[in-house]
Amino acid sequence: MIRRPGHTVNASVRREPATLPSATGLDLDLAVANVARWGGDTGLFGGFLAAGLAGRGADPIEIGQDLAAVAAWRAGVVGLRADALRAVASCLDAGLGEAVGATLGMPGSDVAGFLEGQRTDRFFWPAWQHLGRAYLVARVGGFAGLGGPWLAHPGDVIAAGEGQWLVEVGDELWEIDADLFGHSVSPADEDPADAGEPVDGPGATDIRVVSVPTSYLLEVVRDAA
Amino acid sequence: MSDRWQKTSASPTVPHVQHGGPRDGLTAADLFRSPEETVELDEKLRRTYFWLVNKAVISPFYDVEFDAAKANRFPLGDAGAEITLPTQPAYSSNVLLPLLTFAVGGKCLMIGGPGRGKTTLAVLMGVLAGATPDDVRRHLQQGQPQLTVSDLVGLPLPRDLVSAGSLAEITIAWKSWLTERVKIVDEYNRIPTKTQSALLTMVAEGYVESHDQLRRTAPAAGVESWFFTANDDAGGGTFQVIQALKDRLDVTVQAFGFNGRFFDELVTRVEAGERPEEHVPSSLIFSPDEQSTMLAAIRAVPLPADVRRRLEYFTGQFEFVQHGGRRFEYRTKDVVATAGGDVSAVIDANSGADLVVDLGSQTLNGLSVRALQTLILYAKASAWFRGASSVALDDVRAMVPFVLRGKLLPNPQHPRFEAGDKELAHDPASWLVDLFDTAMKQFVALGLDNADPVGDLLAELGGGLDGLDRLTVSQRLTRIESEVGRISKVGKIYGRDYDDLVALKYLHQRYSNYLHWLEGS
């Protein structure tokens, strides 16, 4: 079996073909195209957004935009993380806990706790709080021939900040930015010699990225508490 | 029929730089913006390049290469030719350099025989700035032997010439091209010398003068760029181009001929009667604000210290000539040239230096500050255009042949231009790259990547003199004298040592003056 990049949080998501909902004043086809362009999973985006908008009437355009941003983040667009967290808080303030919970794939009553947890730990997921063992959070990278970014096996990994790592691949240095739902892999600007000592992210010192000898994928794992 | 012109790159033009989209900074509103609205300016400039090179001028000459060490090389024929197949994206200089000139607000000279697309490219630059093709053509200045200053800048109104009591009362009907963002002077080597001088004032000072009245030529908004064409770069043409005007041109680029393998496009154009400047996609037009933003972004690209150090080493090779004068500071080619001396003969008189090692002996002059500033700006533009976050040595190397052409003059008496390398005598671009590569090999061989005592001393001084005690100052003076002594013991002096020695003397002066002040206070 060929392993692909992905996030464990999506493993139990039921993927059913969802008809893209309509939202007043918003071009959701364009949003789907942008989610795809930014590396998100368009199937997940459509499904989570449909769940969030289900049964809602004509919301103000800002609410539709906020739910779409949360759905896109949930579908793996890591670049939306900061704005999506703002959008989640905004929806909670507006009494839309159930809608934003459906968009995230959790009960509305869990959203406040999830938001609080995410603010200190970008890999926080309520269901994993008391697992008591190490677990896989995500697989990232991969061989170029299978759609990944790399032509060589990834080597040493250096922590560069919260949810950020630098990895040597051949004679190149790449940067990984990841959170619970998505990740981005891009050539690093920094020279390996300048990368300095490993940096621990606040509240997430037990998250590591490890290189696997038999794969070009890197594994993001959380150590046992 | 015009639809075929409107296609531009929809995918990012820099390959696989991102897997998974931007790492941060996206907002909910971005989700509902089309890619066209969110395209970055560097991406827009790259799309423009690819449209120009693939649709407009058909230039399959990829001579600006990066990461040359990894390229596959194939020898061709029996005269030392080889073709390289680079692994990194390469670019066509005769499109890239005019486009970078447009981006940085520079001055570009395009040279080459008739019918090689020089004027077409210049007109396209005008259209990219938002002017209509008709306006660009109307504003294009056609060089010809009878071109007067009035033809160039405008005429005094005849009514005023008769009735005015003083020059101040004469109204000048200034030509409208003077304040265009893109200015084009075709066949500038056919312009009479006096008119060239008026042109020089515009290019160098940004104004024109007529009948005691002055008009600024900078555009009201955006960035001003100049494009000159000529079919000769060796002093030919109807009139010799004045040196001061040549010095103001930032880059010189050779226009290539037509590649016969692309005849199908030519046939299509003949049949359709189309001209590329009339079909520039609207998504590639740059507003004045976009141009200003683009220039600011290019200027902000950092030049890392290691690249700067190598650039210092390269540019420091050329000013010094051993027998140029008596005092050490006067031993320069400029001292010889301004005294009417023969620089070649003075170089030849230096029997003590190895002409192969002494890169300075290959040139008749050093580099002006203007040329160095231009090299830095174009290297930044190259890095920005390629989507890099800082200038790499490859960016400098790529720009050297175009920025230094006509500014760093070859010494024809040097053995480099004899025997097997004779072709370098009439291929200045290849010679300049060769010169740069040789300097970089020397830099590595001398171990300068790891040790830079003069740089360390300069950095120490950069920390300031405030609070330094006598002992520290004396220790630094001793280190400076020791470094001068080390160079002195080598016996031979090269251009690379000249800059170091002048800098060491400067440091010695700063510290000894400070010591005198300490002792007197």
Side-chain angles (χ1 to χ4, degrees), chain B residues 299-321:
Chain B
R299 287 186 188 280
V301 175
L303 183 75
D306 58 332
V307 177
R308 193 196 67 213
R309 175 71 194 105
R310 285 175 177 240
L311 189 53
E312 285 170 1
Y313 179 80
F314 171 67
T315 57
Q317 303 285 333
F318 306 112
E319 191 65 36
F320 174 75
V321 61

Side-chain angles (χ1 to χ4, degrees), chain B residues 179-360:
Chain B
T179 50
E180 283 297 301
R181 278 192 281 153
V182 169
K183 299 180 172 72
I184 304 168
V185 182
D186 213 6
E187 301 193 61
Y188 87 134
N189 56 343
R190 298 187 67 217
I191 297 175
T193 307
K194 184 182 175 188
T195 315
Q196 283 186 33
S197 297
L199 199 55
L200 171 65
T201 316
M202 291 173 67
V203 171
E205 311 297 340
Y207 72 86
V208 286
E209 185 273 333
S210 179
H211 294 77
D212 213 20
Q213 293 183 48
L214 185 139
R215 182 171 177 82
R216 294 272 164 209
T217 55
V223 175
E224 175 189 55
S225 51
W226 287 80
F227 296 90
F228 297 84
T229 74
N231 51 22
D232 182 283
D233 189 36
T238 313
F239 292 95
Q240 174 103 26
V241 178
I242 54 178
Q243 191 58 37
L245 181 56
K246 280 184 90 169
D247 283 348
R248 261 37 182 220
L249 303 184
D250 294 326
V251 288
T252 302
V253 64
Q254 183 91 38
F256 295 114
F258 185 76
N259 185 311
R261 280 291 183 176
F262 294 81
F263 235 85
D264 54 344
E265 173 66 20
L266 213 57
V267 172
T268 306
R269 286 191 193 182
V270 170
E271 289 170 349
E274 293 174 330
R275 302 173 74 146
E277 62 267 29
E278 285 161 1
H279 300 277
V280 177
S282 58
S283 62
L284 302 183
I285 304 295
F286 288 80
S287 69
D289 283 348
E290 281 181 321
Q291 273 200 285
S292 301
T293 307
M294 186 159 57
L295 179 55
I298 288 170
R299 287 186 188 280
V301 175
L303 183 75
D306 58 332
V307 177
R308 193 196 67 213
R309 175 71 194 105
R310 285 175 177 240
L311 189 53
E312 285 170 1
Y313 179 80
F314 171 67
T315 57
Q317 303 285 333
F318 306 112
E319 191 65 36
F320 174 75
V321 61
Q322 181 65 284
H323 298 289
R326 176 62 62 86
R327 281 188 67 89
F328 183 69
E329 287 89 344
Y330 298 165
R331 291 179 181 246
T332 68
K333 291 169 187 168
D334 202 44
V335 166
V336 177
T338 50
D342 181 346
V343 177
S344 275
V346 174
I347 292 170
D348 204 37
N350 183 19
S351 55
D354 182 344
L355 287 183
V356 176
V357 175
D358 184 9
L359 296 178

Side-chain angles (χ1 to χ4, degrees), chain B residues 457-488:
Chain B
L457 287 163
L458 282 164
E460 269 183 358
L461 180 72
L465 291 170
D466 283 350
L468 290 187
D469 57 29
R470 280 190 219 177
L471 178 62
T472 308
V473 175
S474 298
Q475 284 172 337
R476 291 188 185 181
L477 281 167
T478 306
R479 279 172 55 206
I480 292 164
E481 286 164 14
S482 158
E483 188 56 25
V484 174
R486 186 190 64 75
I487 298 171
S488 169

